[in-house]
Amino acid sequence: MATYVFFNCITPSCGLRFPLDKEHHVGEYCPRCGGKLQEVRSEVEMTAAVSQALPNRRILGVLDNIRSAYNVGGIFRTADGAGVAHLYLCGITPTPKAHPELTKTALGAEKAVPWSAHANALSVAKNLQLEGVFLLALERAVESIPIQDFSLNEIGERTVGLVIGHELAGIDPDLFGMCEGALSLPMVGDKASLNVGVAFGIAVYWMTFRLSQNSNSE
């Protein structure tokens, strides 16, 4: 794991304060003004935290035509943290092999989370349904239920396939029609929706812990 040290620029008109990885940083000057740097905090070693609260990997991610490699990279990072079992990268969704920039936000999670690439999300959905997976769309639609009101009781012990779609066009209508349920996130600001990666993160963590609670209560 990387070891970071926090530094402060001693130039009064600058005062930039930031962390540096001592193993890879070269130089002793402020990147903002060129002034001298002063170490202001002892070394902090970044370690991986392992949670025992997520025993069952019951969630899959179906990414339908996501445009941005950075969004996909962030989704990989979230999927790793939440214990998502597999990501299906469909249509034009960038893959780690073809889009190296994805790793800037994935930060290695693309190596930890199983994934596969598919030309057509409908084919993926049909196969998942044959395996008994409960397809759940994350979409702002008339049929969608606000996440705080959505009941997981009907899912039972089934694996959940969380479906997200194109940043502007949304989920393919035919794919949406194959889903057994749909949920949405409440919006109280001016915008109608969140960034797809942020929305996925909120929904997948909510589902992970709710499913875990349901299992522990039985």
Side-chain angles (χ1 to χ4, degrees):
M1 295 295 175
T3 299
Y4 283 86
V5 177
F6 283 80
F7 287 87
N8 205 118
C9 176
I10 63 175
T11 303
S13 60
C14 180
L16 180 66
R17 186 182 178 107
F18 63 105
L20 285 174
D21 180 353
K22 291 188 70 175
E23 293 184 7
H24 298 95
H25 176 70
V26 178
E28 301 178 353
Y29 298 97
C30 174
R32 183 180 181 188
C33 74
K36 285 281 189 178
L37 294 176
Q38 179 182 30
E39 184 175 332
V40 294
R41 186 169 180 178
S42 58
E43 296 182 356
V44 178
E45 184 175 356
M46 306 297 290
T47 59
V50 179
S51 172
Q52 300 301 319
L54 312 175
N56 300 317
R57 292 178 177 264
R58 292 178 51 196
I59 301 177
L60 310 171
V62 180
L63 281 58
D64 176 39
N65 290 308
I66 306 298
R67 298 181 307 166
S68 168
Y70 298 108
N71 281 340
V72 177
I75 289 170
F76 264 98
R77 185 89 183 273
T78 299
D80 178 50
V84 172
H86 194 99
L87 290 178
Y88 295 89
L89 311 181
C90 305
I92 63 171
T93 302
T95 66
K97 291 183 178 180
H99 297 266
E101 66 272 25
L102 185 153
T103 62
K104 292 183 178 180
T105 46
L107 296 178
E110 75 282 2
K111 300 176 182 178
V113 179
W115 62 272
S116 54
H118 307 267
N120 194 313
L122 297 182
S123 298
V124 171
K126 290 177 182 177
N127 289 332
L128 291 177
Q129 285 181 326
L130 290 175
E131 296 173 5
V133 174
F134 185 99
L135 294 180
L136 179 62
L138 178 59
E139 184 78 297
R140 290 186 61 81
V142 175
E143 302 92 332
S144 298
I145 298 174
I147 192 170
Q148 68 272 18
D149 298 327
F150 190 89
S151 174
L152 296 178
N153 292 334
E154 59 182 303
I155 295 175
E157 293 299 316
R158 297 167 65 185
T159 296
V160 180
L162 183 62
V163 181
I164 57 175
H166 189 277
E167 290 91 333
L168 298 178
I171 298 173
D172 183 321
D174 288 339
L175 177 60
F176 183 83
M178 297 175 66
C179 295
E180 295 183 61
L183 56 82
S184 63
L185 301 178
M187 299 293 297
V188 297
D190 294 333
K191 297 299 182 180
S193 63
L194 293 170
N195 169 274
V196 66
V198 173
F200 177 86
I202 293 172
V204 79
Y205 264 94
W206 174 82
M207 289 174 54
T208 296
F209 287 103
R210 285 288 300 276
L211 289 171
S212 178
Q213 289 175 349
N214 287 354
S215 297
N216 293 335
S217 64
E218 294 178 355

